[in-house]
Amino acid sequence: MSVTYPLGFRAGSVHAGLRTIPAPDLAVIVNDGPDDVVAGVFTTNRVCAAPVQWSRRVTADHKARVVVANAAVANACTGIDGLTDCQCEAEHIAILFGCEPHEVVVASTGVIGERLDMPSTLVGASTAHGVLGRGDDVDASAARAIMTTDTVPKMATVDVGGARFGGIAKGAGMLAPQLATMLVFLTTDAVVDPDEFQDALAKACDVTFSRVDSDACMSTNDTVVAMASGASGANLTGGELTEALTELCAVLARQLVADAEGSRHDVKVAVTGATSTEAAVAVAREVTRSNLVKTAIAGNDPNWGRILAAVGCVPEDVAPFDPDQVDVSINGIEICRAGGIGEDRNLVDMRPREVHIDIELHAGNAEAAVWTNDLTHEYVEENSAYTS
Amino acid sequence: MSVTYPLGFRAGSVHAGLRTIPAPDLAVIVNDGPDDVVAGVFTTNRVCAAPVQWSRRVTADHKARVVVANAAVANACTGIDGLTDCQCEAEHIAILFGCEPHEVVVASTGVIGERLDMPSTLVGASTAHGVLGRGDDVDASAARAIMTTDTVPKMATVDVGGARFGGIAKGAGMLAPQLATMLVFLTTDAVVDPDEFQDALAKACDVTFSRVDSDACMSTNDTVVAMASGASGANLTGGELTEALTELCAVLARQLVADAEGSRHDVKVAVTGATSTEAAVAVAREVTRSNLVKTAIAGNDPNWGRILAAVGCVPEDVAPFDPDQVDVSINGIEICRAGGIGEDRNLVDMRPREVHIDIELHAGNAEAAVWTNDLTHEYVEENSAYTS
């Protein structure tokens, strides 16, 4: 299960006809209460889609009853018309579900620069309203409805302090810091304070989705929305909320990495011995963004020189360290020691899907890890052939 | 011709045996004077190779007689041993050419994390000393001796104010801001002021090599060195020097882009209507670094949504503009107008090798252009199979 694992939630998804393949492409998730708390984290891209602009306002009020999400069309770069489409969709949903338009979160993913097919979308929403339910099948269908180039649906559940948490996510490629091209919908039946809930969601995203960087491209539509129904009656502290949402987001983020477009390796770049967490993240991020490192890994080449070259690109004021002190291990073999040649590179086993790059800066005690993928032929194929 | 086009220079290159294929892999360029002025611009990567550390000190004194450069091994990440090898090479060259070791510029390119084969290098340098000459063949051979994954040698000449300028370059892929994995050697027979010469070289690099960004990876060995012999007797002003070196570097930079690893398109991203040159460069750079834009171009897809998404990633304090005002043209067709849908994307002819992306921000009067390449299967192939 996922979004209907917590009490107080129903979901429904349909093939509204937005995409040509006969698969679900529109999902609604409804919060039956008693509470209607919502929190949201969105793309920081200045070019943001109409649904992001709309839903940012909804979540700012901390109050929502319904999430409606579609795949196939992102409703991004569609100007004032796109925003009108969003509002129209929210008004239609509000009538169906007996709430206010400003209690409806709207999310879209797919091709940029095309308008939504509104008749199909509205009819689809009505149909979804008619098939609302709970359980495994309902949740899996909702997770499938928001997929684009994903090959598998992403779902997770967590239990903390007598409350349940569930979530679905979509995203494959375009994973980037400050979120990915990613839609994430989380639910909980905990009783929460709205400000603490928002704060917990922001903290959770910061150490999970924001530390996944598949191709350094930040999308126009990234959306993480969490709803709380209060149906369990379990009062959770801010700390418990942060713990639960972080665990939930970490599981979903790991699933996103595992399904990144055309990847053969999931790569964890862990930096230790940094002067601050920010410095560690900056170094890890630079390595995860190096196409030369990522192609080397695709070729099963433990090329530590390229890793060191990427590390050296981080400005000294961002991450103070002595390049001649840096150690680098790949899958446990320290092939670079003190900035120079270490153990025999032939000892490194590059066959596992998971590749661990450990970078010790010897400059402090802070650490952080960022996940990425290798850069393969299949990535190029998928992104040169698919218009998104 | 190239480096021996100006008076007062000779060059020689040999197969020293550093690479397995029977091609030249070591070149020397000697300045016979009367002047011995040198200027240099180097990688800003904190992980920089031994020859960069050595040659940075040489050029700081503005005085050099000889450049020696090798391919196959970068002598990077080789610690104190690598620096000793460099010094040893400079001392050997100094004896051969009758100058001081601190008048010898050393440059290397190739695999990181391996030491130079010193016996082969020193014997090679001696042999090169014995074949010094001038002319087309000599220059072409020198340009070939520094090639790695390049498919063609890069050479250029320029005449300004009665003085001659010539240059060779190597680099294919790993082109990045603040230079590329790139060796560039320039010569002139102008009479120059050392400080003006250094200043002119820095300015020339800033608007040419630093605006080429093939894969956003900055190398450990990037080196641009210019020598002036004064043999023409032509006194050039700082302005004339900047003009000449900029023209020379622009021609070589364009050749580097045209030969970038596995590329099918050369892409010029020109930003106009920016509030400052820095803002224009930042926006252009963000687009040239987007793997999603680069794979779309490889697939001949005029995907303006990905371009706009990249533009939107530039922070507002770096480049102020209104995303809803931005126009984007690809090969002359304005497919994005005011942040939304413009002309029909099917009108865009993506067949030419050169692709022009024009971005009008409508925020000011400054402009800048950055060159890059598309991201192809061949790029992945070359960089996953080749250890460098």
Side-chain angles (χ1 to χ4, degrees), chain A residues 223-237:
Chain A
T223 298
V224 181
V225 165
M227 295 194 287
S229 69
S232 71
N235 266 284
L236 261 57
T237 65

mmCIF file with all atom_site columns, all heavy atoms in Angstrom, chain A residues 223-237:
data_model
loop_
_atom_site.group_PDB
_atom_site.id
_atom_site.type_symbol
_atom_site.label_atom_id
_atom_site.label_alt_id
_atom_site.label_comp_id
_atom_site.label_asym_id
_atom_site.label_entity_id
_atom_site.label_seq_id
_atom_site.pdbx_PDB_ins_code
_atom_site.Cartn_x
_atom_site.Cartn_y
_atom_site.Cartn_z
_atom_site.occupancy
_atom_site.B_iso_or_equiv
_atom_site.pdbx_formal_charge
_atom_site.auth_seq_id
_atom_site.auth_comp_id
_atom_site.auth_asym_id
_atom_site.auth_atom_id
_atom_site.pdbx_PDB_model_num
ATOM 1  N N   . THR A 1 223 ? 7.259  18.713 -7.440 1.00 0.00 ? 223 THR A N   1
ATOM 2  C CA  . THR A 1 223 ? 6.245  18.935 -6.409 1.00 0.00 ? 223 THR A CA  1
ATOM 3  C C   . THR A 1 223 ? 6.314  17.824 -5.370 1.00 0.00 ? 223 THR A C   1
ATOM 4  O O   . THR A 1 223 ? 6.277  16.646 -5.726 1.00 0.00 ? 223 THR A O   1
ATOM 5  C CB  . THR A 1 223 ? 4.835  18.932 -7.037 1.00 0.00 ? 223 THR A CB  1
ATOM 6  O OG1 . THR A 1 223 ? 4.745  20.007 -7.974 1.00 0.00 ? 223 THR A OG1 1
ATOM 7  C CG2 . THR A 1 223 ? 3.753  19.081 -5.977 1.00 0.00 ? 223 THR A CG2 1
ATOM 8  N N   . VAL A 1 224 ? 6.433  18.193 -4.111 1.00 0.00 ? 224 VAL A N   1
ATOM 9  C CA  . VAL A 1 224 ? 6.265  17.242 -3.011 1.00 0.00 ? 224 VAL A CA  1
ATOM 10 C C   . VAL A 1 224 ? 5.145  17.783 -2.131 1.00 0.00 ? 224 VAL A C   1
ATOM 11 O O   . VAL A 1 224 ? 5.265  18.884 -1.591 1.00 0.00 ? 224 VAL A O   1
ATOM 12 C CB  . VAL A 1 224 ? 7.554  17.092 -2.177 1.00 0.00 ? 224 VAL A CB  1
ATOM 13 C CG1 . VAL A 1 224 ? 7.328  16.072 -1.056 1.00 0.00 ? 224 VAL A CG1 1
ATOM 14 C CG2 . VAL A 1 224 ? 8.729  16.676 -3.046 1.00 0.00 ? 224 VAL A CG2 1
ATOM 15 N N   . VAL A 1 225 ? 4.062  17.035 -2.032 1.00 0.00 ? 225 VAL A N   1
ATOM 16 C CA  . VAL A 1 225 ? 2.929  17.489 -1.225 1.00 0.00 ? 225 VAL A CA  1
ATOM 17 C C   . VAL A 1 225 ? 2.597  16.410 -0.199 1.00 0.00 ? 225 VAL A C   1
ATOM 18 O O   . VAL A 1 225 ? 2.564  15.223 -0.526 1.00 0.00 ? 225 VAL A O   1
ATOM 19 C CB  . VAL A 1 225 ? 1.708  17.796 -2.114 1.00 0.00 ? 225 VAL A CB  1
ATOM 20 C CG1 . VAL A 1 225 ? 0.444  17.919 -1.277 1.00 0.00 ? 225 VAL A CG1 1
ATOM 21 C CG2 . VAL A 1 225 ? 1.942  19.081 -2.904 1.00 0.00 ? 225 VAL A CG2 1
ATOM 22 N N   . ALA A 1 226 ? 2.370  16.827 1.033  1.00 0.00 ? 226 ALA A N   1
ATOM 23 C CA  . ALA A 1 226 ? 2.008  15.898 2.104  1.00 0.00 ? 226 ALA A CA  1
ATOM 24 C C   . ALA A 1 226 ? 0.691  16.341 2.725  1.00 0.00 ? 226 ALA A C   1
ATOM 25 O O   . ALA A 1 226 ? 0.475  17.526 2.974  1.00 0.00 ? 226 ALA A O   1
ATOM 26 C CB  . ALA A 1 226 ? 3.108  15.865 3.168  1.00 0.00 ? 226 ALA A CB  1
ATOM 27 N N   . MET A 1 227 ? -0.198 15.380 2.951  1.00 0.00 ? 227 MET A N   1
ATOM 28 C CA  . MET A 1 227 ? -1.495 15.678 3.563  1.00 0.00 ? 227 MET A CA  1
ATOM 29 C C   . MET A 1 227 ? -1.634 14.894 4.876  1.00 0.00 ? 227 MET A C   1
ATOM 30 O O   . MET A 1 227 ? -1.221 13.736 4.938  1.00 0.00 ? 227 MET A O   1
ATOM 31 C CB  . MET A 1 227 ? -2.637 15.291 2.619  1.00 0.00 ? 227 MET A CB  1
ATOM 32 C CG  . MET A 1 227 ? -2.667 16.117 1.343  1.00 0.00 ? 227 MET A CG  1
ATOM 33 S SD  . MET A 1 227 ? -4.241 15.942 0.418  1.00 0.00 ? 227 MET A SD  1
ATOM 34 C CE  . MET A 1 227 ? -4.049 14.292 -0.227 1.00 0.00 ? 227 MET A CE  1
ATOM 35 N N   . ALA A 1 228 ? -2.253 15.517 5.862  1.00 0.00 ? 228 ALA A N   1
ATOM 36 C CA  . ALA A 1 228 ? -2.478 14.850 7.157  1.00 0.00 ? 228 ALA A CA  1
ATOM 37 C C   . ALA A 1 228 ? -3.961 14.864 7.493  1.00 0.00 ? 228 ALA A C   1
ATOM 38 O O   . ALA A 1 228 ? -4.605 15.915 7.467  1.00 0.00 ? 228 ALA A O   1
ATOM 39 C CB  . ALA A 1 228 ? -1.674 15.561 8.250  1.00 0.00 ? 228 ALA A CB  1
ATOM 40 N N   . SER A 1 229 ? -4.492 13.661 7.786  1.00 0.00 ? 229 SER A N   1
ATOM 41 C CA  . SER A 1 229 ? -5.935 13.544 8.055  1.00 0.00 ? 229 SER A CA  1
ATOM 42 C C   . SER A 1 229 ? -6.276 13.588 9.540  1.00 0.00 ? 229 SER A C   1
ATOM 43 O O   . SER A 1 229 ? -7.417 13.845 9.916  1.00 0.00 ? 229 SER A O   1
ATOM 44 C CB  . SER A 1 229 ? -6.459 12.219 7.478  1.00 0.00 ? 229 SER A CB  1
ATOM 45 O OG  . SER A 1 229 ? -5.937 11.122 8.231  1.00 0.00 ? 229 SER A OG  1
ATOM 46 N N   . GLY A 1 230 ? -5.314 13.272 10.383 1.00 0.00 ? 230 GLY A N   1
ATOM 47 C CA  . GLY A 1 230 ? -5.588 13.219 11.817 1.00 0.00 ? 230 GLY A CA  1
ATOM 48 C C   . GLY A 1 230 ? -6.441 12.033 12.243 1.00 0.00 ? 230 GLY A C   1
ATOM 49 O O   . GLY A 1 230 ? -6.811 11.918 13.414 1.00 0.00 ? 230 GLY A O   1
ATOM 50 N N   . ALA A 1 231 ? -6.747 11.124 11.298 1.00 0.00 ? 231 ALA A N   1
ATOM 51 C CA  . ALA A 1 231 ? -7.711 10.043 11.575 1.00 0.00 ? 231 ALA A CA  1
ATOM 52 C C   . ALA A 1 231 ? -7.239 9.027  12.602 1.00 0.00 ? 231 ALA A C   1
ATOM 53 O O   . ALA A 1 231 ? -8.038 8.309  13.199 1.00 0.00 ? 231 ALA A O   1
ATOM 54 C CB  . ALA A 1 231 ? -8.079 9.333  10.269 1.00 0.00 ? 231 ALA A CB  1
ATOM 55 N N   . SER A 1 232 ? -5.925 8.946  12.829 1.00 0.00 ? 232 SER A N   1
ATOM 56 C CA  . SER A 1 232 ? -5.430 7.986  13.821 1.00 0.00 ? 232 SER A CA  1
ATOM 57 C C   . SER A 1 232 ? -5.567 8.526  15.241 1.00 0.00 ? 232 SER A C   1
ATOM 58 O O   . SER A 1 232 ? -5.507 7.770  16.205 1.00 0.00 ? 232 SER A O   1
ATOM 59 C CB  . SER A 1 232 ? -3.938 7.687  13.565 1.00 0.00 ? 232 SER A CB  1
ATOM 60 O OG  . SER A 1 232 ? -3.156 8.813  13.910 1.00 0.00 ? 232 SER A OG  1
ATOM 61 N N   . GLY A 1 233 ? -5.715 9.821  15.367 1.00 0.00 ? 233 GLY A N   1
ATOM 62 C CA  . GLY A 1 233 ? -5.758 10.446 16.678 1.00 0.00 ? 233 GLY A CA  1
ATOM 63 C C   . GLY A 1 233 ? -4.405 10.551 17.350 1.00 0.00 ? 233 GLY A C   1
ATOM 64 O O   . GLY A 1 233 ? -4.284 11.077 18.450 1.00 0.00 ? 233 GLY A O   1
ATOM 65 N N   . ALA A 1 234 ? -3.344 10.061 16.673 1.00 0.00 ? 234 ALA A N   1
ATOM 66 C CA  . ALA A 1 234 ? -2.001 10.081 17.267 1.00 0.00 ? 234 ALA A CA  1
ATOM 67 C C   . ALA A 1 234 ? -1.346 11.440 17.050 1.00 0.00 ? 234 ALA A C   1
ATOM 68 O O   . ALA A 1 234 ? -1.110 11.855 15.922 1.00 0.00 ? 234 ALA A O   1
ATOM 69 C CB  . ALA A 1 234 ? -1.140 8.981  16.637 1.00 0.00 ? 234 ALA A CB  1
ATOM 70 N N   . ASN A 1 235 ? -1.087 12.123 18.150 1.00 0.00 ? 235 ASN A N   1
ATOM 71 C CA  . ASN A 1 235 ? -0.401 13.418 18.093 1.00 0.00 ? 235 ASN A CA  1
ATOM 72 C C   . ASN A 1 235 ? 1.088  13.203 17.947 1.00 0.00 ? 235 ASN A C   1
ATOM 73 O O   . ASN A 1 235 ? 1.711  12.576 18.804 1.00 0.00 ? 235 ASN A O   1
ATOM 74 C CB  . ASN A 1 235 ? -0.651 14.191 19.383 1.00 0.00 ? 235 ASN A CB  1
ATOM 75 C CG  . ASN A 1 235 ? -1.824 15.137 19.251 1.00 0.00 ? 235 ASN A CG  1
ATOM 76 O OD1 . ASN A 1 235 ? -1.695 16.195 18.633 1.00 0.00 ? 235 ASN A OD1 1
ATOM 77 N ND2 . ASN A 1 235 ? -2.975 14.734 19.798 1.00 0.00 ? 235 ASN A ND2 1
ATOM 78 N N   . LEU A 1 236 ? 1.681  13.739 16.894 1.00 0.00 ? 236 LEU A N   1
ATOM 79 C CA  . LEU A 1 236 ? 3.131  13.565 16.698 1.00 0.00 ? 236 LEU A CA  1
ATOM 80 C C   . LEU A 1 236 ? 3.867  14.887 16.906 1.00 0.00 ? 236 LEU A C   1
ATOM 81 O O   . LEU A 1 236 ? 3.384  15.958 16.513 1.00 0.00 ? 236 LEU A O   1
ATOM 82 C CB  . LEU A 1 236 ? 3.417  13.026 15.285 1.00 0.00 ? 236 LEU A CB  1
ATOM 83 C CG  . LEU A 1 236 ? 3.664  11.505 15.229 1.00 0.00 ? 236 LEU A CG  1
ATOM 84 C CD1 . LEU A 1 236 ? 2.499  10.739 15.792 1.00 0.00 ? 236 LEU A CD1 1
ATOM 85 C CD2 . LEU A 1 236 ? 3.987  11.059 13.821 1.00 0.00 ? 236 LEU A CD2 1
ATOM 86 N N   . THR A 1 237 ? 5.027  14.792 17.518 1.00 0.00 ? 237 THR A N   1
ATOM 87 C CA  . THR A 1 237 ? 5.850  15.983 17.690 1.00 0.00 ? 237 THR A CA  1
ATOM 88 C C   . THR A 1 237 ? 6.518  16.341 16.364 1.00 0.00 ? 237 THR A C   1
ATOM 89 O O   . THR A 1 237 ? 6.555  15.529 15.431 1.00 0.00 ? 237 THR A O   1
ATOM 90 C CB  . THR A 1 237 ? 6.962  15.744 18.718 1.00 0.00 ? 237 THR A CB  1
ATOM 91 O OG1 . THR A 1 237 ? 7.846  14.740 18.171 1.00 0.00 ? 237 THR A OG1 1
ATOM 92 C CG2 . THR A 1 237 ? 6.411  15.253 20.043 1.00 0.00 ? 237 THR A CG2 1
#
